[in-house]
Amino acid sequence: MAGGAAGRGPEPPDFQRHPEAIAPRLAHGYRLRSMRELRDLEFGRLAGTVYLDHAGATLFPQSQLTNFTKDLMENVYGNPHSQNISSKLTHDTVEQVRYRVLAHFHTTPEDYSVIFTAGSTAALRLVAEAFPWVSQAPESSGSHFCYLTDNHTSVVGMRKLAAAMNVTSTPVKPEDMWSAEERGAGVCDPDCQLPHLFCYPAQSNFSGTRYPLCWIEEVKSGQRSPVNVPGRWFVLLDAASYVSTSPLDLSAHQPDFVPISFYKIFGLPTGLGALLVSKHAAPLLRKGYFGGGTAASYLAGEDFYIPRTSVAERFEDGTISFLDIIALKHGFDALEHLTGGMENIQRHTFALAQYTHSALSALCYPNGAPVVRIYSDSEFSGPDVQGPIINFNVLDDGGSIIGYSQVDKMASLYNIHLRTGCFCNLGACQRHLGLSDEMVKKHFQAGHVCGDDVDIIDGRPTGSVRVSFGYMSTLEDAQAFLRFISAICLRSPGDLPVPHANASDAGGLPSERDCHSPQEGSCTDPAVPSDSHPGANTVDLRLSLSEGSSIQRTLPEKAAGIPNGELGPHTVTNIYLYPIKSCAAFEVTRWPVGSKGLLYDRGWMVVNHNGICLSQKQEPRLCLIQPFIDLQQRTMVIKAKGMEPIAVPLEEDDEPAQICQSRVCADRVNTYDCGENVSRWLSRFFGRSCRLIKQSPHSERNARKTPGKGQSPGVAATLSLVNEAQYLLVNTSSILELQQQLNASGEHGKEEPFSVKDLVSRFRANIITKGARAFEEEEWDEVSVGSLHFQVLGPCHRCQMICIDQQTGQRNQDVFQRLSESRQRKVNFGVYLMHESLDLSSPCFLSVGSEVLPVLRECGVS
C-alpha cells in the first residue's frame, strides 16, 4: 500500500475517451424499470450494502417471497404420494414446475428428464453412484472418469465413488483439453461401447472463465478426447455457476447430465437442485438403494423390487421437497417479470464485470506498480468466454500480495460483501496462484485448511479474492468496490475518480494500458480474556467495594511507556473486564482472579431471536451497553443512555435454571437465560428481539490456543465466553507508536486526533502495561504480574472491531488499515495470556501498580 504523501499519480483517463469499451445500458436496467427502481422496490434490504458474492448465492426479490407466501396461505399442499385432493394439487403443481424448468433450458420432456435433488452436489453424487461404470479387469481396461482440474470440489469428489468401482480417474488440465482435438481419432472403435465420463464446468466458479459448449458434442463424437481410450464418452456439464446469470440452450448443446442449484438463480429456495438427464443416458443409469415413492412393487420378505418407469420417480427417493419446488414457480415468474429473461441478465452482468475489470486493471501505485493481480483466462471480451466473476489478489506497491483475509476484513468495514479463499476449486486455485501439490500439502501441515483465514504462508498466497455480479447489481455497486480498493491501497477514501457513466449508458472504460492512481495526500474478537465463573475453587465474594471494584477513572494521555525514550518501571497501569461479551469495559484497580481469568469477565453475552451471539461486528451499539459489577450486592447493573438501569444477579437463584446450548467460536457452551426483564430491556434498546444469557457454572470449555513453538505445553486453560484465551495484554508503548502513525498520517478522517484512551478502548484488553519497548510483548514467552504467573500464547490477530469507536459505536477504517500497513499486513496487536499455575485455595487478585516481569523467548525460537 502506498504510504505518506507520495506525490500525485497520473490522473485517470477521461471516461468518454474509450467508446470501444462502452458497457451498454448499465444504468437503465431491465424493461421499463430502472436499476434504482428495481433496488428500491425489490431489494430495499441492500440499502447501504454492496453485495458482490452472487457466485456464492444470489438474492431473492421481495415480490418472489411475497407471492410464494401468498400461495402457501391460499392453498393446501399435501404429500404428493397420497391420493387426496390436496396431494393431487401438489403433484400437478410439481409436474408443472418440471415443465417450467425444461422450458427455461429450451428443451422438452421428450429429450430430458428433471430429477429434483438436494442441490447440485447431490446431483453429482447421483451420477457417480448410478453411472454404468465397468471395472478394470484382465480382459478390459474398464471405464475412465475424467474431469477438468478447473472443477468444483463436488465434481472432483466423484472420483472416490469411481475408485470404489475400480475405475481409473484422470484429471485433465484446461490447456490439455484445449489441445485435445482429434486426439481420440487413433483409438476410435465404433464397436467398443465401454462407457466413460468426462465432467467440465460451463463456467469456472473460480475465475468466471467459460469453456466452450461445443466440447460436449466433440467429446461425445470422439473429435476431442480427454484421454486416448476406445469407448463411448458421456459428458456431464456442471452448469451450476453458469446458469445463474446466463441462458443455457439444451436444444443446441446436449450434454448427458446437467446438475444445477436453484438458489444460484433465484436466491431461494436453498437446498434444492436438479439433475437434468438426457433421454439417451437415462436408461443406462443403475439404481442401488430404493426409497419411498420409487417402487412400482416390492416385497419386504423377499428380494423382489420393480422400479417405477419414470426416471424422476425412480431416482427421487422419499418425499421430495415439494414446497421448495413450488417456490421455483415464483422464482421463474419474478425473474422474467423483473428482467425479461436470462439473455438480459447475461448482458447486464457481463457489462458490469467488463467495466469493473477494465477499471481495476488500470489502477496503479504512483511508482507504476499494479494495485491488483487478476486471475483470468480471458480478456473479458464477451460473455461467450467470460462470466460476471473477477478473481484477484491485492498487491502492495512493492508487488507483494496482501493476504485475502485482510482484504476481507477491510471490505466488511465498507459494508462490501465479497468472498475469499479457494472457492471449493483447488485445481483452479493451484493453477492461477502457482501452488504445487507439495506446497498445498505443506500448507496443510502448517495448519491451513479450506475456509480458514491463513492467507499467506512462506510469502505465498493460499487463496484470493472474488467479486461476482447478479442481476440486481448496479453500476454504483461496481464503483463503490473500486473506491474501496483505491481507499485501502492508494489512501484516497473520499474522492476516488473512478470512471463514471451517464444516465443512458455506461460510457467508455479506461484502457488497461492507461494505468492510473488517484492523488496521494480475530474470528477474533479483540476483546479476548476470560472467566465468568470461578468454578469449583471459587474466590470469596464477600469483599468490600473498595477492595474488589475500585474504579480507575482515567488513563493518562502521556503514559510512561514512550516508544523510543526512557521506559521507566514495568508495571500494570489499567485493568479492564468485560462482563457482557462485546459490551463496554468495566475498569477496576484491583480484582479477584478465577479459574477462567478475571472474575465475571465475559460471563454473559447478548443473543438474537435465534440464540446467535451478537458481537459489535453485527451490532456496534453493543459498546454503548455499560455493565457495572457490585461484588458486595452480588449484582451486575446494566446502563445505557436513555434507559433506566437494570440489575441482574451475579449468580443464579435457588431455583434450577433451564440450561440451553449456545456457540462461541465454534465451541458448544452451556448457558442459561437471564430472564424476561433484561430481555425486554435489551430488545427495547436495540429495537429487535434480544436476550441475555450467562455461561453455566458447570460448563467446561477448553482453550483451543496453545503455546507456540518452543514453548512448554501446559494444562489446557478453561475459558469463559471469550473467543481465544483467558487474558489479553496490551503494551502502552505499542499504543503510542500506533497513535503517532495514525495522527501523523493526516488521513484519520477525524477532526480530533486519536487519543491514547480511545485506542486503548478499541483494543479491549484486560491488562495494560507500561515500561516496555513497543511490541516487545510479542517476544515474551512467560510473564509474571505481581504474584501471578502467565504463559504467553501468542499475538492477538485483530478483526474489524478495532475500527469501532467504543464511546459512540461509529466506525473508522483507518485504525485497522494503518495497523495492517505497519505490521506487515498481519493485524496483530496485544498478546494472549493464560494461567501457568493458579492456587485458588486462597483469594488471588490482579492489581494496578503490580510489577511486570517478562521472560523473553530463547534466541532462534519463533
Side-chain angles (χ1 to χ4, degrees):
M1 293 182 187
R8 181 186 299 270
E11 289 295 330
D14 181 72
F15 191 70
Q16 299 297 334
R17 285 189 207 158
H18 304 278
E20 74 280 2
I22 289 176
R25 297 174 57 82
L26 272 180
H28 270 180
Y30 307 96
R31 289 188 171 180
L32 301 178
R33 182 174 283 113
S34 71
M35 291 307 299
R36 183 183 298 276
E37 290 173 323
L38 177 66
R39 288 286 284 261
D40 290 345
L41 290 174
E42 298 284 358
F43 300 95
R45 64 189 185 276
L46 279 177
T49 297
V50 178
Y51 185 84
L52 297 176
D53 189 24
H54 293 275
T58 197
L59 305 175
F60 60 86
Q62 178 65 39
S63 60
Q64 178 184 346
L65 182 60
T66 300
N67 292 334
F68 174 47
T69 304
K70 184 173 182 287
D71 188 349
L72 296 185
M73 298 300 290
E74 293 178 351
N75 295 284
V76 178
Y77 292 108
N79 190 314
H81 292 166
S82 300
Q83 299 300 317
N84 56 57
I85 296 174
S86 60
S87 299
K88 184 68 163 58
L89 176 63
T90 301
H91 176 271
D92 292 346
T93 307
V94 167
E95 293 310 302
Q96 189 65 33
V97 173
R98 287 190 207 274
Y99 298 146
R100 191 76 177 270
V101 171
L102 292 172
H104 182 77
F105 295 111
H106 304 279
T107 188
T108 67
E110 286 69 44
D111 293 321
Y112 280 89
S113 296
V114 178
I115 302 172
F116 287 115
T117 64
S120 59
T121 295
L124 290 163
R125 180 170 179 171
L126 189 157
V127 173
E129 291 174 336
F131 190 79
W133 305 110
V134 174
S135 302
Q136 292 185 55
E139 67 279 5
S140 171
S141 61
S143 299
H144 279 73
F145 170 54
C146 296
Y147 57 90
L148 207 66
T149 53
D150 187 356
N151 251 314
H152 193 278
T153 302
S154 298
V155 173
V156 180
M158 295 170 69
R159 70 188 182 195
K160 296 294 289 184
L161 291 173
M165 294 293 296
N166 197 25
V167 168
T168 301
S169 294
T170 304
V172 181
K173 296 178 181 179
E175 50 268 32
D176 292 338
M177 195 60 195
W178 280 104
S179 62
E181 191 170 7
E182 303 296 342
R183 181 186 298 166
V187 291
C188 181
D189 183 354
D191 297 326
C192 181
Q193 294 297 304
L194 198 63
H196 309 299
L197 181 63
F198 173 60
C199 302
Y200 81 99
Q203 173 178 290
S204 169
N205 73 310
F206 181 92
S207 65
T209 295
R210 289 186 168 172
Y211 292 100
L213 297 178
C214 63
W215 283 2
I216 297 167
E217 292 304 321
E218 290 175 358
V219 170
K220 291 170 67 174
S221 66
Q223 287 181 281
R224 187 183 301 269
S225 295
V227 293
N228 282 327
V229 291
R232 179 183 177 186
W233 281 98
F234 294 82
V235 175
L236 183 152
L237 181 74
D238 182 3
S241 180
Y242 180 87
V243 299
S244 62
T245 56
S246 294
L248 176 62
D249 188 347
L250 292 181
S251 67
H253 305 282
Q254 298 184 326
D256 299 288
F257 309 102
V258 185
I260 56 175
S261 277
F262 290 109
Y263 77 95
K264 301 278 189 181
I265 307 172
F266 305 123
L268 71 79
T270 57
L272 180 68
L275 177 67
L276 277 60
V277 184
S278 163
K279 283 301 179 73
H280 300 291
L284 302 178
L285 295 180
R286 301 178 300 198
K287 187 77 186 299
Y289 170 84
F290 65 92
T294 65
S297 181
Y298 79 99
L299 290 174
E302 182 181 325
D303 188 12
F304 172 76
Y305 162 70
I306 304 298
R308 291 186 178 271
T309 56
S310 161
V311 175
E313 289 179 316
R314 192 159 75 243
F315 283 94
E316 289 173 351
D317 291 302
T319 302
I320 56 177
S321 187
F322 56 88
L323 292 182
D324 285 340
I325 293 171
I326 292 170
L328 295 182
K329 184 264 184 191
H330 300 284
F332 283 117
D333 287 348
L335 204 67
E336 292 173 8
H337 173 69
L338 296 175
T339 70
M342 297 305 297
E343 289 80 5
N344 293 337
I345 292 174
Q346 177 173 261
R347 282 193 292 269
H348 176 76
T349 54
F350 174 73
L352 282 172
Q354 186 183 51
Y355 162 78
T356 307
H357 172 265
S358 184
L360 194 61
S361 301
L363 282 177
C364 289
Y365 287 100
N367 65 1
V371 167
V372 299
R373 179 177 299 154
I374 296 176
Y375 305 112
S376 175
D377 292 312
S378 82
E379 296 298 323
F380 283 70
S381 57
D384 56 329
V385 296
Q386 180 65 43
I389 293 173
I390 304 172
N391 196 304
F392 64 96
N393 266 316
V394 178
L395 309 175
D396 63 19
D397 56 3
S400 297
I401 288 176
I402 298 171
Y404 60 76
S405 67
Q406 303 308 312
V407 176
D408 191 26
K409 290 175 182 177
M410 285 299 299
S412 68
L413 295 172
Y414 290 79
N415 214 7
I416 294 175
H417 301 195
L418 39 73
R419 185 154 175 186
T420 60
C422 271
F423 322 103
C424 295
N425 189 336
L426 190 58
C429 194
Q430 284 186 257
R431 176 169 169 259
H432 286 285
L433 272 61
L435 300 175
S436 66
D437 293 349
E438 291 70 26
M439 286 179 183
V440 173
K441 294 174 183 177
K442 183 179 179 182
H443 292 173
F444 175 74
Q445 293 167 354
H448 171 57
V449 296
C450 293
D452 67 15
D453 60 356
V454 180
D455 49 19
I456 302 287
I457 297 178
D458 296 332
R460 300 294 297 267
T462 63
S464 56
V465 182
R466 186 185 75 185
V467 296
S468 51
F469 298 96
Y471 75 84
M472 74 295 300
S473 298
T474 65
L475 181 64
E476 289 75 18
D477 290 335
Q479 291 178 328
F481 165 71
L482 292 169
R483 288 190 179 93
F484 156 69
I485 293 296
S486 181
I488 66 170
C489 294
L490 303 173
R491 306 296 291 171
S492 60
D495 55 353
L496 166 64
V498 297
H500 56 279
N502 58 38
S504 61
D505 57 56
L509 303 182
S511 164
E512 295 189 18
R513 290 186 293 270
D514 293 326
C515 194
H516 69 269
S517 69
Q519 182 176 350
E520 286 290 316
S522 136
C523 166
T524 346
D525 178 357
V528 184
S530 79
D531 171 80
S532 78
H533 277 285
N537 298 316
T538 182
V539 300
D540 188 359
L541 293 178
R542 293 171 293 178
L543 308 170
S544 69
L545 283 174
S546 61
E547 182 180 19
S549 57
S550 174
I551 303 298
Q552 181 77 12
R553 293 290 181 186
T554 61
L555 177 71
E557 286 301 307
K558 292 190 178 296
I562 300 172
N564 297 310
E566 182 61 37
L567 295 176
H570 200 171
T571 59
V572 174
T573 61
N574 302 80
I575 299 172
Y576 300 96
L577 61 149
Y578 306 82
I580 305 176
K581 185 177 177 69
S582 260
C583 290
F586 176 53
E587 186 176 3
V588 298
T589 56
R590 186 171 185 264
W591 196 255
V593 170
S595 61
K596 299 170 185 158
L598 290 171
L599 191 60
Y600 299 116
D601 184 47
R602 274 79 166 199
W604 293 261
M605 65 182 180
V606 179
V607 297
N608 68 8
H609 64 288
N610 290 323
I612 306 301
C613 175
L614 292 179
S615 76
Q616 289 183 28
K617 298 176 194 176
Q618 302 89 29
E619 183 50 82
R621 290 181 298 164
L622 280 165
C623 68
L624 305 180
I625 301 289
Q626 299 176 309
F628 299 85
I629 290 183
D630 188 330
L631 293 177
Q632 192 174 48
Q633 298 296 321
R634 301 170 64 86
T635 62
M636 175 174 65
V637 177
I638 307 174
K639 298 181 181 181
K641 186 177 181 180
M643 304 288 291
E644 289 293 325
I646 187 171
V648 176
L650 293 180
E651 307 294 341
E652 58 184 300
D653 54 28
D654 294 335
E655 297 180 10
Q658 183 177 358
I659 300 298
C660 56
Q661 291 190 339
S662 303
R663 291 179 71 84
V664 174
C665 276
D667 290 334
R668 187 175 61 187
V669 293
N670 289 332
T671 60
Y672 65 85
D673 195 286
C674 295
E676 293 299 327
N677 289 338
V678 69
S679 174
R680 284 192 293 269
W681 191 94
L682 289 167
S683 300
R684 192 161 56 249
F685 179 79
F686 291 114
R688 56 171 165 157
S689 179
C690 297
R691 304 197 72 84
L692 184 70
I693 61 175
K694 186 177 192 293
Q695 186 178 19
S696 167
H698 308 296
S699 175
E700 287 293 328
R701 178 179 170 233
N702 292 329
R704 294 169 179 261
K705 208 162 190 65
T706 57
K709 182 180 177 182
Q711 293 177 298
S712 57
V715 178
T718 57
L719 302 180
S720 62
L721 300 178
V722 298
N723 285 1
E724 295 280 351
Q726 293 175 333
Y727 299 86
L728 176 64
L729 180 146
V730 163
N731 174 9
T732 302
S733 293
S734 304
I735 293 173
L736 286 169
E737 184 169 298
L738 177 62
Q739 180 199 33
Q740 291 174 359
Q741 293 170 350
L742 285 166
N743 294 338
S745 70
E747 299 174 23
H748 45 73
K750 297 175 60 174
E751 293 183 2
E752 297 296 328
F754 287 99
S755 67
V756 172
K757 184 176 181 180
D758 176 18
L759 294 175
V760 165
S761 67
R762 291 171 184 264
F763 289 112
R764 297 176 63 82
N766 296 101
I767 304 169
I768 311 295
T769 67
K770 68 173 185 179
R773 292 178 291 104
F775 301 105
E776 177 191 304
E777 64 273 20
E778 295 180 0
E779 303 170 9
W780 298 349
D781 184 60
E782 302 171 8
V783 62
S784 296
V785 180
S787 61
L788 299 173
H789 304 283
F790 303 95
Q791 200 162 22
V792 178
L793 301 182
C796 174
H797 305 301
R798 294 299 179 166
C799 69
Q800 56 268 34
M801 272 181 59
I802 64 174
C803 294
I804 298 173
D805 187 324
Q806 297 297 299
Q807 303 304 311
T808 66
Q810 299 299 309
R811 286 187 172 95
N812 181 291
Q813 296 92 343
D814 292 294
V815 178
F816 188 96
Q817 183 171 341
R818 181 59 67 180
L819 186 61
S820 172
E821 292 171 354
S822 64
R823 309 239 59 214
Q824 291 77 51
R825 311 304 173 192
K826 287 297 181 184
V827 192
N828 297 337
F829 203 92
V831 290
Y832 292 123
L833 309 179
M834 76 172 184
H835 295 132
E836 196 165 75
S837 60
L838 187 65
D839 181 6
L840 291 176
S841 59
S842 59
C844 297
F845 295 88
L846 191 64
S847 303
V848 168
S850 296
E851 186 177 16
V852 178
L853 296 174
V855 176
L856 298 180
R857 289 197 300 269
E858 294 181 9
C859 182
V861 177
S862 59

